[in-house]
């Protein structure tokens, strides 16, 4: 089967699952053992520079060959293939703690990538539109964009925080979920091998009884499959609580509108009345018969927006907690909080809030006065989050004073400049669509002077920081 046939087969799988969401897929393992699929998987992962890092087998991707791929297929078909325990390293978190990162063996990466391609063909057509993490064509920006464009007039936010989500995923519940869509005993046994391969920590093999393998290629896809059950549950809450088609008209607005109509019939000037009307809120934002529940998830971070009473927000928070407990996940009750939308919340490194309704905020447009839109969503960069990351990465001290990046001091001047430019560009590109992107200008200041100090340290000279950091 050549690469074109593989692509057509995947397209057929995707089309079938899109048209028949309850379709159960069979003979998937046979597709996994096709050399064209493994070659395709290899070509994808070799383009990622990070895959040049030796895995737990101390091999890199550039050592792969058709002979090795054929050996992989032979061992897969005989079910003798064993996944190597993942090499675990620890990287710092912003709170000063560390989180584990796994480095799988190269052969394991290729198999996992091929399996991920198949699982995406099966699950992408049925995944919720509210899920944005680790999915083709979706990102943090698509999640934030949906909030910005759709969540107008939100009254309450529920910030969801699941304790150690990926480390707590139950293997048996995960496999139960997969069996709803895939009936293939050989593939199931292979997935069990991936889940139970364990990891190497300080040269000691430790088995994995729960959780998604850290650093594995297939891990994010398996997590999305697991959390798809939560997405479906929230969708039922949205259907259950959604009420009304439009808000009722604000009584004061309606009365004044009727008066303007009468005055016009009498041939009288209504300029003053129209200006007053433009300063009123047309819709009744306290209409109990108009309720909306909105939801966005990115990996294990999720946010719910509610147009409705506070009591409803409490009910939904409790329902989400109970559902997560069914999935053997724990909702962090200290971090999962309900906030007023006008106060705002934090999500994906941003501050999100709804503008306050006001009778007095008027703007002149096209020769007439109009009230500034109430309840419009605005998204700002979370300055403190950026600042903390710069501190953690040693670009500045805890007082925000730029410092030499000692880790890069032995690189060439060109490499040092490229690294700093990459960090600065990454911050700007992430926040460029937010309101008041100028809020992140302080990061450029810190990075520019950290670069200067790093180059000065490399060439054994010094530099003084004379400029004042931009206000935020």
């Amino acid at each position: 089967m050549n690469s074109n046939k593989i692509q057509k087969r995947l397209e057929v799988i995707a089309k079938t699952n899109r048209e028949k969401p309850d379709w159960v897929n069979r003979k998937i393992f046979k597709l996994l053992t096709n050399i064209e699929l493994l070659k395709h998987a290899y070509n994808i992962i070799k383009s990622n520079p990070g895959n040049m890092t030796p895995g737990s087998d101390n091999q890199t991707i550039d050592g792969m060959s058709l002979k090795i791929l054929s050996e992989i297929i032979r061992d897969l078909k005989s079910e003798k293939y064993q996944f190597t325990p993942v090499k675990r390293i620890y990287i710092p978190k912003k709170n000063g703690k560390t989180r584990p990162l796994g480095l799988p063996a190269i052969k394991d990466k290729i198999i996992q990538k091929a399996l991920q391609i198949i699982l995406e063909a099966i699950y992408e057509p049925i995944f919720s539109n509210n899920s944005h993490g680790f999915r083709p064509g979706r990102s943090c920006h698509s999640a934030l964009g949906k909030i910005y464009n759709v969540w107008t007039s939100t009254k309450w936010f529920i910030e969801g925080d699941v304790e150690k989500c990926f480390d707590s995923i139950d293997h048996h519940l995960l496999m139960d979920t997969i069996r709803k869509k895939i009936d293939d005993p050989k593939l199931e046994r292979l997935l069990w091998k991936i889940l139970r391969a364990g990891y190497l920590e300080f040269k000691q093999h430790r088995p994995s009884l729960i959780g998604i393998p850290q650093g594995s290629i297939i891990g994010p896809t398996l997590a999305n499959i697991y959390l798809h059950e939560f997405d479906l549950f929230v969708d039922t809450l949205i259907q259950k609580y959604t009420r009304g088609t439009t808000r009722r008209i604000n009584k004061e607005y309606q009365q004044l509108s009727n008066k303007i109509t009468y005055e016009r019939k009498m041939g009288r000037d209504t300029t003053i009345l129209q200006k007053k009307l433009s300063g009123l809120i047309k819709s009744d934002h306290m209409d109990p018969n108009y309720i909306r529940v909105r939801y966005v998830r990115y990996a294990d971070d999720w946010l719910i927006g509610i147009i409705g009473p506070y009591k409803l927000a409490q009910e939904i928070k409790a329902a989400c907690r109970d559902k997560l407990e069914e999935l053997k996940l724990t909702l962090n009750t200290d971090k999962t909080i309900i906030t007023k939308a006008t106060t705002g919340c934090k999500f994906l490194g941003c501050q999100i809030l709804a503008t306050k309704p006001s009778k007095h905020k008027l703007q002149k447009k096209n020769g007439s006065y109009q009230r500034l839109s109430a309840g419009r969503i605005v998204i700002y960069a979370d300055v403190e989050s950026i600042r903390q990351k710069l501190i953690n990465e040693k670009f500045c001290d805890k007082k925000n004073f730029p410092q030499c990046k000692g880790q890069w001091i032995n690189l060439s001047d060109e490499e040092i400049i490229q690294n700093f430019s990459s960090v600065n560009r990454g911050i700007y590109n992430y926040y460029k669509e937010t309101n008041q992107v100028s809020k992140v200008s302080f990061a450029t200041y810190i990075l520019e002077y950290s670069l200067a100090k790093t180059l000065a340290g490399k060439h054994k000279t010094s530099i003084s920081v004379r400029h004042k950091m931009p206000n935020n």
Side-chain angles (χ1 to χ4, degrees), residues 79-273:
E79 296 192 70
K80 292 181 180 179
Y81 189 89
Q82 297 296 328
F83 289 87
T84 306
V86 171
K87 181 166 66 175
R88 176 171 283 190
I89 61 174
Y90 289 88
I91 59 176
K93 294 171 64 175
K94 64 181 181 180
N95 58 8
K97 297 181 180 180
T98 60
R99 69 177 179 88
L101 178 67
L103 299 174
I106 297 304
K107 290 181 182 179
D108 295 355
K109 284 185 178 182
I110 293 173
I111 295 172
Q112 288 189 29
K113 187 62 188 179
L115 185 52
Q116 183 188 51
I117 291 169
I118 296 172
L119 291 178
E120 285 181 350
I122 294 171
Y123 283 97
E124 275 300 316
I126 67 167
F127 276 158
S128 170
N129 284 330
N130 297 319
S131 168
H132 293 260
F134 309 115
R135 295 183 60 190
R138 291 169 178 257
S139 63
C140 292
H141 290 134
S142 65
L144 294 170
K146 185 168 186 178
I147 294 170
Y148 182 81
N149 292 312
V150 180
W151 290 32
T152 302
S153 300
T154 296
K155 297 301 174 189
W156 304 98
F157 288 128
I158 305 175
E159 303 173 52
D161 186 274
V162 182
E163 291 185 359
K164 298 181 179 180
C165 180
F166 295 155
D167 293 334
S168 304
I169 287 176
D170 185 271
H171 293 171
H172 291 280
L173 285 181
L174 173 61
M175 294 308 299
D176 288 344
T177 301
I178 290 174
R179 287 189 202 102
K180 295 177 183 178
K181 292 290 297 173
I182 301 174
D183 180 10
D184 190 326
K186 282 191 174 182
L187 190 76
E188 183 176 335
R189 290 193 288 270
L190 186 72
L191 281 169
W192 272 115
K193 288 181 180 180
I194 293 173
L195 293 172
R196 293 294 172 87
Y199 57 93
L200 290 173
E201 187 174 43
F202 307 117
K203 298 184 179 181
Q204 294 292 320
H205 176 232
R206 303 182 187 277
S208 297
L209 301 179
I210 60 171
I212 296 297
Q214 291 283 349
S216 64
I217 288 176
I218 200 173
T221 303
L222 294 177
N224 272 336
I225 292 171
Y226 195 81
L227 291 172
H228 179 58
E229 297 294 305
F230 182 68
D231 296 339
L232 293 176
F233 173 74
V234 178
D235 284 343
T236 64
L237 294 181
I238 292 172
Q239 295 172 14
K240 175 182 177 181
Y241 290 112
T242 296
R243 185 186 305 168
T245 53
T246 57
R247 286 189 179 92
R248 68 189 179 193
I249 302 299
N250 178 11
K251 186 176 180 180
E252 185 180 0
Y253 184 96
Q254 185 66 65
Q255 289 175 344
L256 186 55
S257 181
N258 291 340
K259 185 175 181 180
I260 289 172
T261 301
Y262 173 78
E263 293 295 323
R264 281 176 176 169
K265 286 182 179 179
M266 299 301 294
R268 296 170 184 161
D269 184 11
T270 61
T271 303
I272 295 176
L273 294 176

Side-chain angles (χ1 to χ4, degrees), residues 4 14 27 65 103 107 115 128 136 160 199 221 268 274 324 335 349 361-362 385 414 434 442 448 466:
N4 288 334
K27 297 182 179 180
S65 66
L103 299 174
K107 290 181 182 179
L115 185 52
S128 170
Y199 57 93
T221 303
R268 296 170 184 161
Q274 285 179 314
L324 288 168
K335 293 183 179 180
K361 291 183 178 180
L362 300 180
S385 175
E414 183 180 357
T434 60
F442 78 96
E448 284 179 350
R466 297 192 179 94

Side-chain angles (χ1 to χ4, degrees), residues 26 46 66 80 124 143 148 164 173 251 268 334 409-410 423 444 461 468:
R26 294 176 174 85
K46 78 172 184 180
L66 283 176
K80 292 181 180 179
E124 275 300 316
Y148 182 81
K164 298 181 179 180
L173 285 181
K251 186 176 180 180
R268 296 170 184 161
D334 293 332
I409 204 166
N410 292 322
V423 173
T444 299
T461 184
K468 185 179 179 181

